[in-house]
Amino acid sequence: MTATAKTSDAPLLDHLRRHGDASVSELVEHLGVTATAVRQRLSRLMDGNLVARSTVVEGRGRPSHRYRLTE
């Protein structure tokens, strides 16, 4: 991970640290960036084993995903 990537990921990681977990839409609102940018950051952080994704199924329709820090 580059220094720039670490700097841009800090607000996302801080949000997860304070709130436990979050959805992409919650992170979009908090960070003020596009959903694509959030997904790219999350993907990079999951590849580095810093963030994990869990699937939430609530009734009918598509499941949603929640993201949290790994230990």
Side-chain angles (χ1 to χ4, degrees):
M1 210 180 305
T2 66
T4 304
K6 288 181 184 178
T7 302
S8 66
D9 294 339
L12 186 151
L13 294 169
D14 288 340
H15 183 80
L16 293 177
R17 193 172 295 116
R18 283 183 276 125
H19 297 280
D21 67 354
S23 66
V24 169
S25 60
E26 291 167 354
L27 292 167
V28 165
E29 185 175 325
H30 175 73
L31 300 172
V33 297
T34 65
T36 299
V38 168
R39 285 186 187 95
Q40 288 173 343
R41 291 178 189 180
L42 288 168
S43 180
R44 183 176 56 247
L45 293 167
M46 285 189 297
D47 287 345
N49 295 318
L50 296 172
V51 171
R53 177 176 68 187
S54 59
T55 302
V56 179
V57 178
E58 296 176 355
R60 293 181 154 185
R62 297 178 89 171
S64 61
H65 296 102
R66 303 289 296 178
Y67 298 87
R68 62 176 169 71
L69 295 177
T70 58
E71 293 191 22

